Amino acid sequence: MKFCKSCLQPDTRPNSVFHSDGICPACKYHESLKDVDWEDRKSELEAIVSFGKANNHSGYDCIIGVSGGKDSLRQALFVKETLKMKPLLVSLGYPPEQVTQRGVENISNMISHGFDCVTINPAPGIWRDLKRKGFRQYTNSFRSTELALFSSVPKFAIAYQIPLIWWGENSALQLGETAILGKSGSDGNNLRKMNTLNGGDITWIISEEIKKNQILQYCYPSPEEMEQANLRITFLGYFWKDWSLVNNGIFSMLRGLEIRDDKPWEIGDPYGVTALDDDFVTFNQMIKYLKYGFGRVTDYVNEEIRNGLMTREEGISLVQKYDGTCSPYYIEKFANYIGITVREFWEQLDQSVNRDLFEKVSLGEYKPKFTVGVGL
Ligand SMILES: [Zn+2]
């Protein structure tokens, strides 16, 4: 395991390959931003806006996939107020056991800014069965959730003949997940190659108990379906100079977003602006940490380091303190939800802990073998 020489990105992030000078792809991208011709990029954006407006057959120019969180609120307001488009917001609703009160209020706040919004709620029983299956099979209860999150929006766009979808961040560029790179930095039509979507594969889900017609919202449209619908998926983050977790958080708080008041160690998040609608993401970041050696705090500090707002040393201290931490409360909540004990939770997770990176102290307690910022 190596760390980027400039930020704190480890080379264990899936689908990410460092340059020969030891710099991660996200830092290279950030460095390249200073040479970007923003007027050029603006023309590119204007062409996409014209495409949406010219292909408006339904009354809506575009769809924005939203959670009600910091990124979606900022995007929605930008599309309406700056791009002067008529968007339809599409939100995937979590089942009652998963969604937080804060999440519900944030969606309401968003709608109150003057948007039409459709919420898609997959059946809660199947949702829970799939979370259990993903956890049991891959120690990843979000495998099905991410499928539903990313598939339901293009499915809806095709059904309602809305030609354009805006997502926020292009993780190929902004996080370095290069496998999903499209024809240009704003092109998201390759999104199904994202690590968490695995090409839209649902074969692991289908069984005697779960048939395809029970999981329609989890099925990513095929490339042919997307082409036939002339559907264009585009990343808005590509057109913003100052896209970051913190900037989007500050912007959206000023427009009514409610953030978390947990302590940083309870959620592995020093600012409390992510995963506002869902408590289960919290322990999932801890699982990611034990699989790959980094969690949410690394994502934050990397942006702050690249933006010159934090030194690498300050970042190391934050990552050492909080990355991969999670309150037992959230672990217990999830274990109860999928009907296992906390011990069974740890026994499952124990099988997925990366033994090259961590030494087992006892069940549920793991010590990193690596030094943050240095590596193994
Ligand atoms: Zn880097």
Side-chain angles (χ1 to χ4, degrees), residues 4-9 23-28 302 306:
C4 169
K5 286 183 180 157
S6 178
C7 70
L8 294 174
Q9 184 64 65
I23 305 292
C24 75
C27 279
K28 286 281 178 193
N302 285 346
R306 284 175 210 135

Side-chain angles (χ1 to χ4, degrees), residues 287-305:
I287 293 178
K288 186 172 100 179
Y289 174 78
L290 292 171
K291 284 179 175 176
Y292 301 110
F294 72 97
R296 173 82 72 206
V297 185
T298 298
D299 291 337
Y300 271 115
V301 303
N302 285 346
E303 285 186 345
E304 298 286 273
I305 292 170

Side-chain angles (χ1 to χ4, degrees), residues 245-306:
L245 295 164
V246 173
N247 283 339
N248 295 0
I250 293 169
F251 174 93
S252 293
M253 278 170 71
L254 295 171
R255 305 293 290 261
L257 182 82
E258 191 187 322
I259 66 164
R260 284 182 173 272
D261 54 8
D262 301 68
K263 306 276 182 298
W265 65 267
E266 293 172 322
I267 49 172
D269 175 344
Y271 304 108
V273 295
T274 54
L276 302 175
D277 54 350
D278 174 6
D279 286 341
F280 294 160
V281 171
T282 298
F283 76 81
N284 204 48
Q285 287 292 329
M286 175 189 76
I287 293 178
K288 186 172 100 179
Y289 174 78
L290 292 171
K291 284 179 175 176
Y292 301 110
F294 72 97
R296 173 82 72 206
V297 185
T298 298
D299 291 337
Y300 271 115
V301 303
N302 285 346
E303 285 186 345
E304 298 286 273
I305 292 170
R306 284 175 210 135

